[in-house]
Amino acid sequence: MKFFIDVQGTLIDDTHRLPLPGAIEFVDALNKKAIPYVIITNNTKQLDFLEYLRTLGFEIDDQNYIDPLQILPEAMPYKRVAAYGLDQFLQTLQKLGFILEYKDPEAVLLSVKRDYTFEEFADIDEFLLLGKPLFGMHQTSLYAKGDRRYPGVGALAAMFSFATGVQPQFIGKPSEYFFKKALEKIGAKNFKEITIISDDVQGDLMGAAKLGMRSVFVLSGKYKRAEEILPKLGFTPDLVCRDIAEAGKKLGVL
C-alpha cells in the first residue's frame, strides 16, 4: 500500500487552513507503520509551504512532499513569462529566477487569483494568438476559499484554449509529469501501486485513475456531497469517504 495525499480540502480545511479531523493522525500512522506516501499539493503561493504544514503538527519529511514550484524550473523551459496570479505567487517566481515580462514574454503562465480582469484576459488572448505557449501551474477545475467556490486554473486554461486554439501544458496535478516525479519520490515502479486521496475529482482523481491509480474521494473540501459532481462526470472513484479519518479506517491505516 502506497499513497499520494492531497492537502487543501483533504488534510487542511479551505477556510482557516487548519488540520481536518483525523488528518494528523493519518500521517502519523503512515510514519509509524512505515507505509510509503507522498504529500502532493498544487501549492503555488510559497516556497516554504511544507514548513507551514509542519507547524500545524504534520511530521512530513522532504522526501514525502512535492509541489509544482519545486519542479517548475525544469518543467517550463522559459524565463521571461507573462505570469498571472496572486502577488505572493509572482514574488515567488522572481525568487526562482523567472523574469516577469508583459510586453514580449516567451510564455504565459497561469495561477490562481480571484480578481482577474477582462483586460488581463485580452492581454493573454493576444499573447497566445501571437504564438506564445500557455502553461498552467496545475489543472484544478474548481477551488474553494471560505464558503465560496471559484473557477480553477484548469478552467481558465480551458477558456483560453477555446478562445485561441492553443493547447495548455500543466506543471502540477494531474499532469503525468508531476505524478511521475511523485512516483520517483515514493520509490514505486508503476502507478498501479498507488492509492490517491483527494477532494478534487477532475483536478486529481480522474487523471490519476487514467494512469492506473486507485482513487479515494473525500467530501471535506470542494464538494460536500458526491452528487454535486460525480454524476455529471460519469466517474466512479474506488472509494468515497466523508473525510480522511473515515478513509483511514476503511483503508486500514487508522
Side-chain angles (χ1 to χ4, degrees), residues 84 102 113 115-127 159-160:
Y84 298 86
Y102 298 94
K113 70 170 184 170
D115 58 348
Y116 272 101
T117 68
F118 272 89
E119 289 304 313
E120 288 175 318
F121 288 167
D123 289 340
I124 293 169
D125 284 339
E126 291 299 328
F127 291 142
M159 177 183 69
F160 291 119

Side-chain angles (χ1 to χ4, degrees), residues 45-102:
K45 295 179 182 178
Q46 57 194 83
L47 292 171
D48 60 348
F49 188 60
L50 173 56
E51 189 56 40
Y52 171 72
L53 293 177
R54 288 169 174 160
T55 66
L56 296 179
F58 292 102
E59 295 188 8
I60 304 167
D61 290 338
D62 291 356
Q63 185 61 26
N64 299 110
Y65 174 89
I66 188 171
D67 69 31
L69 292 172
Q70 292 181 334
I71 65 172
L72 179 61
E74 61 184 274
M76 187 181 69
Y78 303 100
K79 285 296 182 183
R80 294 186 301 106
V81 295
Y84 298 86
L86 298 171
D87 288 342
Q88 191 174 4
F89 167 67
L90 301 181
Q91 293 165 9
T92 297
L93 288 182
Q94 292 175 305
K95 291 177 182 178
L96 289 171
F98 291 96
I99 299 169
L100 303 182
E101 171 59 59
Y102 298 94

